[in-house]
Amino acid sequence: MSPRAVLSAAWLPVLFLALAALPFVPDKQVGLYAQQLTPIFILALLALGLNVVVGYTGLLHLGIAAFFGIGAYTVGILTVQTFPFQLAFPVAVLVGVLASAALGVATTAPTLRLRGDYLALVTMGFGLIIVFVIRNLDAITEGTRGLNPVTPKLLPGVDDPDLRPIRPANLGWGRYWYDYPYFYLLCLGLLALTNVLLRNLERSRLGRAWVALREDELAASCMGLNPARLKLTAIALGAAIAGLAGGLYAVAQQTTGGPEAYDFNRSMITLCCVILGGLGNRPGVLLGVFLLVGYDMVLTPVLDTYVQKREFQELFPAWMQGKQYLKVSGWRLFIFGAALIVMMRFRPSGLLPAARTKHELG
Amino acid sequence: MTPLFAADPAAAFGQFVLIGLVSGLLYALIALGYTMVYGIVELINFAHGDLFMLGCFLSLEVCLLVGARTQSEAGTPAGLAAVALMLVAAPLFCAALNVAVDRAVYKPLRTAPKLAPLVSAIGVSFVFMGVGLFWKGATDVTFPDLLGPRVTDPAAAPPEPANLLDGTGLRFTFKDLMVVLVTLPTMAALTLFVRYTTLGKAMRATAQNPTAAQLMGINVDRVIAATFALGGALAGVGSVVYSLYFNTVNYQMGFQNGVYAFTAAVLGGIGNIPGAVLGGIMIGLVKTLGGAYIGSEWSEALIFAILVVVLIFRPNGLLGARTREKV
Amino acid sequence: MDRRRFLAAATGLAAGSMAGCGGCGGSKDTRPVLKILSSFPRTGSAQGQTDTIVNGIKMAIEDFGGEVAGHRIDYVDADDATASSGKWEAAAEAKNARDAVADDDVMVFIGPYNSGAAKVSMPILNEGGVLQISPAATWPGLTKKQPGDTTGEPEVYRPAKRVTFCRVCPTDDVQGPLSADFVKETLTAKKVYILHDNELYGDGIAGLFEARCRAIGLEILGGGRRPIVHTQTSFREITEQVRALNPDMVYFGGTTQTAAGKLVKDLRASRVTCPVMVPDGCYEQAFLDSASAQDLANVYATIGGTDPSMLKGKGKEFVEKYKAKYTKEPEAYAVYGYEAAAVFLAAAKKVGRKDREAILKACLETKDFEGGVVGKWSFDADGDTTLQQLTISKVEGGKFVPQKTVDKK
């Protein structure tokens, strides 16, 4: 292989290894920032799940957050103290993943004959319905309050070990397995694993069949592919990955949060990440999540604190102080919006386009 | 559960139907903007709801400018001037903004894959929301009730608005009438416009087949701009009526109303003008009656459930024509 | 652009965000640092109210000269809301709590504003052993077991099996029942209709109000309290039902952020002209701005403790200083922001060293505290203030006008 080919094949594993090494950097400050990456890994998983549906198969799904919510609430219900189940984390997550996949298939099967835009709309409707169901079934989901605290056991029947004895001094390492950096490494590991799995899948018969379906459904079915079955496998896999992400999210926050965390907004932002990075291209999707979610969850708070420290607001007349436009976070909507518009105008296939899409879109 | 209506169940039902119809007309007015744009360029214009929101903010700005800040100005020259000015300014503003966005954002993407303009529209929606947030902040802002009864003593409870259906057990105020008086003629005019004027015919031709329309000498770009202008103007009219009717505006109102309107458009068959009106009215009724008899916490879930069911059995909406798949 | 240039740009951004704080503390001050981290919804419709709390905290720090026992006080004003939702979000609150635990300089977490958010941050901070003082979260179950509770409150918030959360504001078990008494005695109502926003705080206080109403023989119309969905465009289908039942007063357990203003407006549009009462979540300027003066003409709002305008002594000085500094009236919670910071600073001063554990202990043991502005009070064993007062105000001419202050018997 040429050096160039080695570089393009190796950069992703190298990045993953570098991220895995972060908690061991002997600097407290690095730890403080690294622990903020956990939600990014989880949202990257969600985006990879959406990418299976939208990117590989070409079904515009506007309700991926619903599966994210199903995963989170399944883990919540099966592990919180309020309910009698209190299963261990792997079991609860597995149930969440299966529930998401099953729901994905059940809700998509009747709508397979819809055209693109209408399908998008049905998925949006489904996503909104799930949010209301979560919100209204107070007895099960605690309504807008969220299930709390979600701190499941790692293994069935064994109390969580106190991990403090093994931690190095002063790196901000937590006590239990769901604390930083153990959970950070778990999420990173699952992300890497999913990534490898999807890479192999892309090259398999199934992956190629999905792409064929996306490019031309009629031609694909003429070649003997079964579009309905292919679409359902894609949605099952996408929903399963989203469910996994949801389960991790609930544990990462130690609460399911309210239903708002799984609403249309989440679906939209995930879609934005996928599109910004490059539809159908895993590294692109990861980059998209890293940029958009990273900006939103890591960069803005840091910049806002910085601006606040410098007493930037005091430079302005009193009536302007405290206004949204004097805060970095206030510009969030503009940045998201502008990113999408500019991308579509000048680089519609994403920052890192898939080789195939690049070929088509130029 | 105890019975909800101690007094008169039939009158209560009638009242809910009235409220549902009136709010349904408002959703229909916004839905028309979605449906027209979709009919011509096959774009789900996600930013339409937020355009409507900006129209509401502009209307509020007009009120403040004219000096109509409270209900004390209802019926006064300042109040009437504010309403008249709003009905001119908001549609113009929304139309101009919609056309500008089309030129700057959607036009370069006419030949791009279908996903591209859709994603851009989501982007525009975010930008509009950002503008709204900077403009009026994140709180609910009250909108002067210029069509309510005039208030002379601001400390006292507001006077009762005149009931146009007095004696029937139902309440139908001047405000409700205003919604009907603005929306129905607007819709009728729009239908006639699309059916009989040259531009309307050109729109329908472009909707059917842009290439063929171009070959027949139709300036497709101009037709599309006109569609965006018309859709925007409808959002502007809708925003004035809505603000005067509900009297609360908020930068997030675009999303909620946009989703209702969008659902209405699809329910009726997107691209179909009477369909959008039918869809809007259906949504108004389902929301009100569902909210009253099932529980308001379920009314939105019910709307989307109906949407999903309708689409499963009639994939092109209630009045939508069966279109060929573009290959 | 090719792939590698994008990667370079991305890596640059990452490095930028990682190193972003390298220069933050770049001042020449070499004193050791004690950090106060506050977490409130700083974006969105609660901003007016949280601005005032943050101002209160800043004034307390200033009154201590910006340092205690040779330690510089560093204040981080974190946001638990996001711009897109305009209200607090669990993810943001959890992040702030984790940041506080991970940063050894942080001695106290002041916040949150919402009781629902407290549910999220409390277990994390408890586990991490960080003192938490809320100036505004009033759901009683956060600290005390509520009758009929099945969720395991408050123990679920205390995984470390001890108290780390305290609050300086009176709780809803003062507010809800005393409001009900006021409704019966002063408004002489017999039939009430109760609505709520289905959130921890709103549903909770409406429940406490409802229970007290039943106990003192008021009739609850509609079979019990009913939820609204605050994101809806109108509540007319609910307000029409309210009108049909003809109540003597309507109670709404909710906040300005959950559409209290819009609800009042729709009630008036449905010709429900009876008094409407809202709890402290609406006791703010934003609520007055969200509906017209006519619609609010017969609206009562309650606030734990007293209205800033009624304070005496140190409290009065505080209000005047506040007005001079920020050129506007403090909102109701400004005093609790001040109080929260002051009680922490006093404890830190007493301990005199950078020691989370010792400061936590000293703060929770605070008795007969007078260093603040609301008068003399103590923390009880659960971390609640002994200040058990309620002020009921009526909206008149677009202002809250205090009517009556009652103490819990």
Side-chain angles (χ1 to χ4, degrees):
Chain A
M1 278 202 285
S2 70
R4 206 185 155 134
V6 171
L7 185 75
S8 75
W11 71 269
L12 201 57
V14 169
L15 180 68
F16 273 110
L17 284 176
L19 287 171
L22 270 188
F24 303 95
V25 175
D27 182 351
K28 187 73 198 289
Q29 209 45 250
V30 171
L32 278 179
Y33 285 102
Q35 71 168 344
Q36 298 180 13
L37 294 175
T38 312
I40 299 188
F41 297 154
I42 295 172
L43 293 173
L45 265 178
L46 176 65
L48 284 179
L50 181 64
N51 187 41
V52 171
V53 183
V54 187
Y56 296 167
T57 324
L59 300 171
L60 182 54
H61 201 293
L62 299 182
I64 196 73
F67 303 116
F68 190 52
I70 296 290
Y73 271 89
T74 309
V75 168
I77 291 165
L78 292 179
T79 61
V80 287
Q81 296 169 25
T82 335
F83 292 111
F85 313 109
Q86 290 169 34
L87 299 181
F89 175 70
V91 186
V93 160
L94 191 66
V95 176
V97 166
L98 294 177
S100 290
L103 198 74
V105 171
T107 53
T108 315
T111 59
L112 281 176
R113 68 191 184 114
L114 293 178
R115 289 193 296 132
D117 295 332
Y118 285 86
L119 179 75
L121 210 71
V122 169
T123 57
M124 182 183 100
F126 162 69
L128 293 165
I129 292 174
I130 289 289
V131 172
F132 280 99
V133 168
I134 293 176
R135 189 188 155 102
N136 292 341
L137 292 181
D138 267 25
I140 305 171
T141 61
E142 295 261 326
T144 55
R145 282 144 286 203
L147 292 164
N148 192 29
V150 181
T151 48
K153 289 195 176 107
L154 181 57
L155 296 169
V158 184
D159 275 336
D160 287 332
D162 189 338
L163 298 169
R164 276 179 299 182
I166 65 161
R167 67 182 173 182
N170 203 27
L171 283 187
W173 287 31
R175 179 171 179 184
Y176 292 117
W177 72 273
Y178 47 76
D179 289 326
Y180 174 82
Y182 316 107
F183 199 69
Y184 168 95
L185 291 172
L186 176 69
C187 291
L188 184 66
L190 285 172
L191 181 62
L193 199 68
T194 312
N195 212 10
V196 171
L197 179 91
L198 289 177
R199 192 190 68 140
N200 293 340
L201 200 62
E202 276 167 22
R203 299 170 181 180
S204 73
R205 186 182 162 81
L206 181 62
R208 282 178 284 128
W210 279 337
V211 174
L213 191 69
R214 178 186 74 198
E215 297 307 324
D216 194 331
E217 185 168 337
L218 195 65
S221 60
C222 289
M223 299 304 288
L225 297 173
N226 180 345
R229 191 186 296 163
L230 286 172
K231 286 180 186 172
L232 288 180
T233 21
I235 202 90
L237 181 64
I241 297 175
L244 171 67
L248 292 172
Y249 189 70
V251 179
Q253 294 185 85
Q254 300 178 16
T255 166
T256 56
E260 288 97 350
Y262 313 99
D263 64 4
F264 185 63
N265 228 323
R266 169 77 63 213
S267 298
M268 277 297 95
I269 288 172
T270 311
L271 185 67
C272 291
C273 294
V274 171
I275 286 168
L276 180 75
L279 206 53
N281 185 30
R282 279 171 297 104
V285 170
L286 295 181
L287 177 65
V289 173
F290 185 77
L291 289 180
L292 281 187
V293 181
Y295 161 77
D296 197 27
M297 294 176 71
V298 183
L299 198 59
T300 28
V302 168
L303 290 178
D304 263 342
T305 314
Y306 182 75
V307 166
Q308 194 187 320
K309 283 261 160 63
R310 289 286 148 98
E311 296 181 340
F312 169 74
Q313 298 222 352
E314 263 90 284
L315 300 175
F316 291 87
W319 61 271
M320 283 172 83
Q321 287 177 21
K323 285 277 192 292
Q324 304 286 351
Y325 43 77
L326 293 187
K327 285 188 204 159
V328 181
S329 54
W331 290 89
R332 173 185 189 272
L333 289 164
F334 281 98
I335 294 202
F336 268 60
L340 291 182
I341 296 169
V342 171
M343 283 305 298
M344 285 301 117
R345 176 74 181 83
F346 297 106
R347 210 179 161 92
S349 48
L351 290 176
L352 290 182
R356 186 186 293 268
T357 358
K358 192 174 179 181
H359 176 68
E360 283 157 14
L361 297 170
Chain B
M1 207 153 104
T2 47
L4 290 173
F5 305 106
D8 182 354
F13 181 78
Q15 187 67 53
F16 289 130
V17 170
L18 267 185
I19 295 175
L21 285 175
V22 170
S23 54
L25 283 174
L26 282 171
Y27 302 138
L29 205 52
I30 313 171
L32 285 174
Y34 275 107
T35 237
M36 290 193 62
V37 167
Y38 188 87
I40 307 278
V41 285
E42 296 212 331
L43 161 69
I44 300 176
N45 187 2
F46 260 97
H48 194 71
D50 301 289
L51 182 75
F52 158 82
M53 176 270 294
L54 290 181
C56 293
F57 280 14
L58 184 89
S59 305
L60 181 57
E61 221 50 80
V62 167
C63 283
L64 300 178
L65 201 73
V66 178
R69 282 156 206 276
T70 62
Q71 212 176 333
S72 318
E73 272 80 31
T76 61
L80 293 176
V83 175
L85 204 57
M86 272 190 267
L87 276 171
V88 177
L92 276 179
F93 169 75
C94 291
L97 196 56
N98 218 15
V99 172
V101 167
D102 173 50
R103 282 202 69 93
V105 179
Y106 307 134
K107 197 176 166 203
L109 301 176
R110 294 267 197 265
T111 53
K114 241 172 132 181
L115 211 56
L118 177 68
V119 175
S120 294
I122 296 171
V124 173
S125 153
F126 279 138
V127 171
F128 280 0
M129 271 184 40
V131 172
L133 182 65
F134 286 179
W135 194 346
K136 290 282 169 204
T139 29
D140 279 355
V141 185
T142 190
F143 194 96
D145 188 7
L146 294 176
L147 296 176
R150 182 155 171 213
V151 169
T152 38
D153 176 12
E160 175 130 19
N163 184 359
L164 303 176
L165 292 177
D166 215 6
T168 57
L170 299 181
R171 216 151 15 79
F172 190 78
T173 61
F174 182 66
K175 252 162 70 168
D176 298 303
L177 183 67
M178 180 259 321
V179 175
V180 178
L181 283 184
V182 176
T183 50
L184 285 185
T186 309
M187 288 165 194
L190 184 71
T191 315
L192 294 178
F193 174 83
V194 171
R195 185 155 300 169
Y196 295 113
T197 62
T198 319
L199 187 56
K201 283 178 187 162
M203 280 179 180
R204 281 186 290 146
T206 312
Q208 279 198 349
N209 189 333
T211 323
Q214 200 146 25
L215 289 174
M216 300 316 284
I218 293 172
N219 184 342
V220 170
D221 275 335
R222 191 172 297 165
V223 169
I224 292 175
T227 311
F228 272 93
L230 208 54
L234 288 169
V237 175
S239 69
V240 174
V241 182
Y242 181 99
S243 312
L244 287 170
Y245 188 72
F246 286 116
N247 306 110
T248 302
V249 292
N250 176 316
Y251 88 104
Q252 285 172 317
M253 67 193 287
F255 175 70
Q256 189 75 14
N257 289 293
V259 167
Y260 284 167
F262 177 34
T263 311
V266 175
L267 208 52
I270 196 157
N272 182 313
I273 291 176
V277 178
L278 177 75
I281 290 175
M282 264 184 75
I283 290 203
L285 286 176
V286 168
K287 180 179 177 293
T288 316
L289 294 174
Y293 294 98
I294 297 175
S296 72
E297 67 271 33
W298 288 106
S299 62
E300 273 158 314
L302 195 65
I303 288 175
F304 298 117
I306 287 177
L307 173 78
V308 171
V309 171
V310 166
L311 282 187
I312 289 172
F313 291 103
R314 285 195 61 94
N316 292 300
L318 291 174
L319 299 184
R322 186 160 286 275
T323 49
R324 81 220 124 58
E325 181 76 39
K326 281 190 180 160
V327 186
Chain C
M1 263 202 263
D2 68 5
R3 172 181 287 190
R4 261 166 303 142
R5 271 168 64 199
F6 270 105
L7 278 177
T11 321
L13 186 80
S17 69
M18 292 289 178
C21 229
C24 289
S27 58
K28 296 193 180 56
D29 203 331
T30 52
R31 286 175 295 173
V33 171
L34 287 189
K35 250 191 216 167
I36 298 179
L37 188 144
S38 75
S39 171
F40 301 112
R42 307 290 293 128
T43 321
S45 48
Q47 201 194 341
Q49 188 73 269
T50 56
D51 272 346
T52 212
I53 298 178
V54 167
N55 289 344
I57 295 175
K58 284 182 182 159
M59 282 176 69
I61 297 172
E62 244 166 61
D63 285 355
F64 275 78
E67 72 159 53
V68 284
H71 291 71
R72 182 166 59 86
I73 301 295
D74 195 356
Y75 173 49
V76 181
D77 166 19
D79 193 349
D80 69 2
T82 59
S84 58
S85 68
K87 59 196 281 284
W88 74 273
E89 266 191 16
E93 176 71 11
K95 175 187 168 298
N96 292 344
R98 273 196 305 268
D99 284 355
V101 172
D103 187 346
D104 291 332
D105 290 340
V106 172
M107 292 294 124
V108 65
F109 179 98
I110 298 185
Y113 178 66
N114 306 75
S115 301
K119 278 182 74 163
V120 176
S121 51
M122 280 173 72
I124 299 173
L125 292 164
N126 186 270
E127 186 84 63
V130 177
L131 170 66
Q132 179 177 17
I133 311 177
S134 173
T138 50
W139 167 241
L142 297 175
T143 49
K144 288 187 172 69
K145 187 151 189 70
Q146 292 304 296
D149 171 78
T150 55
T151 57
E153 284 182 337
E155 282 76 23
V156 288
Y157 309 130
R158 296 172 182 158
K161 315 255 180 293
R162 59 173 183 159
V163 177
T164 53
F165 173 88
C166 56
R167 49 187 161 189
V168 292
C169 52
T171 55
D172 295 340
D173 50 1
V174 180
Q175 196 173 184
L178 290 183
S179 302
D181 292 342
F182 178 82
V183 164
K184 186 179 182 190
E185 286 154 22
T186 312
L187 299 179
T188 62
K190 294 193 173 54
K191 299 177 293 175
V192 300
Y193 197 100
I194 306 174
L195 290 160
H196 66 89
D197 62 5
N198 220 352
E199 303 220 349
L200 178 65
Y201 162 78
D203 185 16
I205 192 160
L208 292 163
F209 180 83
E210 182 183 350
R212 182 66 183 171
C213 283
R214 288 189 195 281
I216 57 177
L218 292 174
E219 188 189 345
I220 313 286
L221 298 173
R225 62 183 190 276
R226 291 192 168 259
I228 64 162
V229 179
H230 71 87
T231 50
Q232 284 181 353
T233 44
S234 94
F235 308 118
R236 284 290 295 277
E237 58 269 20
I238 298 169
T239 55
E240 286 296 330
Q241 295 174 32
V242 177
R243 180 187 59 101
L245 293 167
N246 198 20
D248 298 326
M249 73 83 62
V250 176
Y251 190 86
F252 174 59
T255 61
T256 317
Q257 291 75 49
T258 54
K262 207 157 67 176
L263 180 69
V264 171
K265 224 175 247 184
D266 281 350
L267 282 168
R268 300 311 188 213
S270 293
R271 306 303 302 152
V272 180
T273 50
C274 65
V276 175
M277 191 180 241
V278 292
D280 61 336
C282 303
Y283 200 91
E284 55 181 336
Q285 188 58 39
F287 173 65
L288 301 175
D289 292 340
S290 66
S292 68
Q294 293 85 39
D295 290 333
L296 294 174
N298 207 1
V299 172
Y300 293 81
T302 55
I303 175 84
T306 50
D307 185 85
S309 65
M310 298 164 72
L311 289 169
K312 294 182 187 66
K314 273 183 89 171
K316 201 168 170 194
E317 276 170 39
F318 168 78
V319 172
E320 264 147 31
K321 236 166 95 184
Y322 187 103
K323 273 195 271 191
K325 190 167 160 69
Y326 298 105
T327 60
K328 54 183 164 193
E329 297 275 338
E331 298 219 20
Y333 275 109
V335 289
Y336 294 117
Y338 185 93
E339 207 72 19
V343 74
F344 158 74
L345 290 167
K349 198 168 185 174
K350 202 156 82 191
V351 171
R353 60 180 197 278
K354 188 170 166 178
D355 183 345
R356 264 188 193 176
E357 199 53 45
I359 296 178
L360 169 74
K361 206 159 158 271
C363 188
L364 289 173
E365 278 169 359
T366 301
K367 290 279 169 291
D368 299 326
F369 181 66
E370 289 181 283
V373 291
V374 297
K376 187 159 135 184
W377 56 272
S378 312
F379 280 129
D380 68 11
D382 300 311
D384 274 329
T385 170
T386 50
L387 186 78
Q388 304 276 294
Q389 238 180 9
L390 182 74
T391 301
I392 297 145
S393 302
K394 191 177 181 186
V395 182
E396 281 173 9
K399 264 193 181 148
F400 292 112
V401 180
Q403 306 281 309
K404 194 175 176 186
T405 299
V406 276
D407 288 293
K408 193 178 183 186
K409 284 145 218 147

